[in-house]
């Protein structure tokens, strides 16, 4: 299942991404983009510093100008080895010099810049001091769709990550649940994700019995019992792209009510998936899934959005939620994950990653959405 590692993205791919980002910024009325270490920098350049540091590293993108990466001299050799380094200019600075002065020379002194969400306040405040005429907008607000539309290579990386998560589910459904603690099953899931090629495990939620009624339950010491419904929500990064899937299993035979609730969620998940098509609004996916649950009498127990984008992070725009009128575009990838949560009793969630095709949607997760019985 780990297979052959995919070919790395080339400098030309990163060059095109940076050019598109600069053009998108200009269209949004921004003077440019400032990108600190984090997922945006990885997506734009292929560079991820090996450790967090207080030393300024910042990618400067502006329309009509070559991209520049401001980087500490001692980290410049690592930056120069990044896959996208050939598509940008490195401007290094040594300890004792003012990196904000170096950066200020690259910026319009009166411009408004998009700045990556995880930029340290230390750096933003220093830039504002160096250039008091500038202003800044968080990238998530200014350019929420920057990474939302994936190219075919990215979609296939997401598909491979989903297949690895599916393989983990097929294995976990064969282990014993009853009599074991949630954290033990969670550890099994984490090990399986790594076995099937994940380099990073972001979460392994195991919500048994009443804990399943908490969508973001922290997997704990509760002993799973015969008769429990168990929500399994897990994912991470494989070859730099995310997985995220949820299946709800039952220990032994379920009650009629448990079957009914699971069937409602499965129907809602199918309705959400069928609403995926180019031109539909993100909120249409949420509405389609929510309508099924509401019509079945469980509307008040569906307490979160229907989905979120996924890419180089496991949660990113776009969001499938009421009020989000962003049209779906081929190449967008996101979760469809309705749920019903009955406080103090049990919960059910079913989640697939879906990509928008030229005329509909394509599921990237293929494991059964029928209720799975475990021991």
């Amino acid at each position: 299942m780990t297979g052959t590692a995919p070919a790395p993205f080339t400098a030309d791919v990163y060059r095109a991404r940076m050019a598109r980002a600069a053009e998108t910024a200009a269209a949004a009325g921004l003077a440019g983009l400032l990108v600190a270490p984090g997922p945006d920098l990885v997506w734009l350049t292929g560079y991820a510093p090996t450790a967090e540091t207080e030393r300024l590293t910042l990618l400067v993108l502006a329309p009509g100008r070559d991209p520049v990466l401001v980087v500490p001299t001692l980290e410049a050799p690592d930056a120069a080895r990044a896959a996208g380094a050939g598509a940008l200019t490195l401007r290094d600075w040594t300890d004792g010099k003012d990196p904000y002065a170096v950066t200020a020379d690259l910026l319009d002194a009166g411009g408004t810049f998009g700045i990556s969400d995880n930029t340290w306040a230390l750096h933003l405040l220093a830039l504002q001091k160096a250039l008091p005429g500038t202003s800044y907008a968080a990238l998530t607000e200014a350019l929420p769709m920057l990474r939302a539309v994936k190219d075919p290579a990215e979609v296939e990386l997401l598909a491979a990550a989903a297949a690895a998560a599916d393989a983990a589910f097929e294995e976990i459904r064969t282990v014993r649940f009853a009599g074991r603690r949630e954290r033990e099953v969670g550890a099994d899931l984490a090990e399986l994700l790594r076995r099937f090629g994940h380099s990073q495990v972001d979460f392994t939620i195991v919500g048994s019995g009443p804990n399943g009624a908490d969508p973001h339950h922290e997997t704990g010491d509760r002993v799973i019992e015969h008769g429990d419904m168990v929500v399994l929500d897990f994912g991470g990064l494989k070859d730099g792209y995310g997985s995220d899937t949820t299946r709800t299993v039952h220990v032994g035979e379920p009650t009629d009510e448990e079957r009914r609730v699971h069937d409602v969620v499965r129907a809602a998940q199918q309705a959400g998936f069928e609403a995926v098509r180019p031109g539909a609004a993100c909120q249409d996916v949420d509405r389609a899934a929510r309508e099924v649950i509401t019509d079945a009498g469980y509307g008040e127990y569906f307490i979160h959005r229907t989905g979120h984008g996924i890419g180089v992070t496991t949660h990113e725009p776009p969001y499938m939620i009421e009020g989000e009128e962003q049209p779906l575009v081929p190449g967008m990838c996101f979760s469809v994950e309705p749920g019903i949560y009955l406080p103090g009793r049990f919960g059910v969630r079913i989640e697939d990653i879906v990509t928008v095709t030229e005329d509909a949607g394509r599921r990237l997760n293929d494991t059964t959405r029928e209720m799975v019985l475990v021991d």
Side-chain angles (χ1 to χ4, degrees), residues 220-288:
D221 286 327
R222 183 181 184 276
V223 175
I224 301 170
E225 301 174 357
H226 189 83
D228 278 347
M229 195 84 87
V230 185
V231 178
L232 303 173
D233 182 356
F234 51 97
L237 297 181
K238 179 182 185 294
D239 297 318
Y241 280 75
S243 69
D244 186 1
T245 188
T246 307
R247 293 295 185 263
T248 303
V249 302
H250 197 277
V251 185
E253 285 294 326
T255 65
D256 290 344
E257 181 189 21
E258 288 169 331
R259 282 196 181 278
R260 182 169 63 253
V261 171
H262 192 280
D263 286 345
V264 170
V265 173
R266 183 162 53 88
Q269 207 270 346
Q270 179 67 23
F273 168 69
E274 291 177 356
V276 175
R277 62 185 182 280
C282 290
Q283 68 181 3
D284 293 340
V285 179
D286 182 85
R287 287 174 175 177

Side-chain angles (χ1 to χ4, degrees), residues 294-320:
T294 298
D295 287 350
Y298 293 99
E300 66 183 294
Y301 302 112
F302 181 11
I303 55 178
H304 57 72
R305 65 196 175 203
T306 292
H308 58 81
I310 190 169
V312 294
T313 58
T314 50
H315 290 76
E316 61 186 45
Y319 298 102
M320 306 302 114

Side-chain angles (χ1 to χ4, degrees), residues 14-343:
Y14 292 112
R15 181 178 289 108
R17 288 180 183 176
M18 287 188 282
R20 176 158 62 89
E23 292 165 2
T24 304
L30 298 173
L33 301 180
L34 306 178
V35 184
D40 291 313
L41 187 64
V42 170
W43 184 77
L44 286 163
T45 69
Y47 178 50
T50 55
E52 285 194 12
T53 173
E54 75 283 358
R55 295 182 173 93
L56 179 72
T57 295
L58 200 67
L59 174 68
V60 179
L61 299 178
R65 300 182 189 177
D66 291 337
V68 177
L69 181 63
V70 177
V71 63
T73 299
L74 75 169
E75 295 175 14
D78 287 341
R81 287 191 288 270
L88 52 77
T89 298
L90 288 179
R91 183 167 296 186
D92 64 313
W93 60 275
T94 58
D95 285 352
K97 301 293 185 180
D98 182 356
Y100 308 106
V102 173
T103 307
D105 287 343
L106 304 170
L107 305 182
D108 176 352
T112 297
F113 295 88
I115 190 162
S116 53
D117 297 7
N118 53 337
T119 305
W120 287 16
L122 168 75
H123 300 319
L124 177 57
L125 292 170
L127 283 173
Q128 288 177 317
K129 183 177 180 180
L131 291 172
T134 55
S135 57
Y136 302 87
L139 272 189
T140 293
E141 293 185 1
L143 299 178
M145 295 297 116
L146 180 63
R147 305 195 318 259
V149 179
K150 276 65 180 177
D151 64 31
E154 289 182 288
V155 172
E156 291 315 304
L157 284 168
L158 286 164
D166 284 354
F169 176 72
E170 295 295 359
E171 288 284 330
I172 202 69
R173 63 183 287 185
T174 68
V175 309
R176 184 162 186 82
F177 279 69
R180 303 180 69 209
R181 298 184 186 278
E182 291 174 343
R183 69 173 66 257
E184 294 176 289
V185 177
D188 287 347
L189 272 171
E191 191 278 328
L192 287 167
L193 285 171
R194 294 189 182 96
R195 183 197 305 175
F196 292 118
H198 281 64
S199 60
Q200 176 177 313
V201 176
D202 287 343
F203 49 89
T204 55
I205 295 173
V206 180
S208 63
N211 289 342
D214 176 1
H216 283 172
H217 168 64
E218 291 287 339
T219 301
D221 286 327
R222 183 181 184 276
V223 175
I224 301 170
E225 301 174 357
H226 189 83
D228 278 347
M229 195 84 87
V230 185
V231 178
L232 303 173
D233 182 356
F234 51 97
L237 297 181
K238 179 182 185 294
D239 297 318
Y241 280 75
S243 69
D244 186 1
T245 188
T246 307
R247 293 295 185 263
T248 303
V249 302
H250 197 277
V251 185
E253 285 294 326
T255 65
D256 290 344
E257 181 189 21
E258 288 169 331
R259 282 196 181 278
R260 182 169 63 253
V261 171
H262 192 280
D263 286 345
V264 170
V265 173
R266 183 162 53 88
Q269 207 270 346
Q270 179 67 23
F273 168 69
E274 291 177 356
V276 175
R277 62 185 182 280
C282 290
Q283 68 181 3
D284 293 340
V285 179
D286 182 85
R287 287 174 175 177
R290 201 168 298 276
E291 181 179 18
V292 173
I293 291 175
T294 298
D295 287 350
Y298 293 99
E300 66 183 294
Y301 302 112
F302 181 11
I303 55 178
H304 57 72
R305 65 196 175 203
T306 292
H308 58 81
I310 190 169
V312 294
T313 58
T314 50
H315 290 76
E316 61 186 45
Y319 298 102
M320 306 302 114
I321 190 171
E322 181 66 31
E324 179 52 80
E325 298 180 351
Q326 168 68 41
L328 299 181
V329 176
M332 282 183 174
C333 299
F334 47 84
S335 65
V336 178
E337 51 176 306
I340 293 174
Y341 309 93
L342 303 179

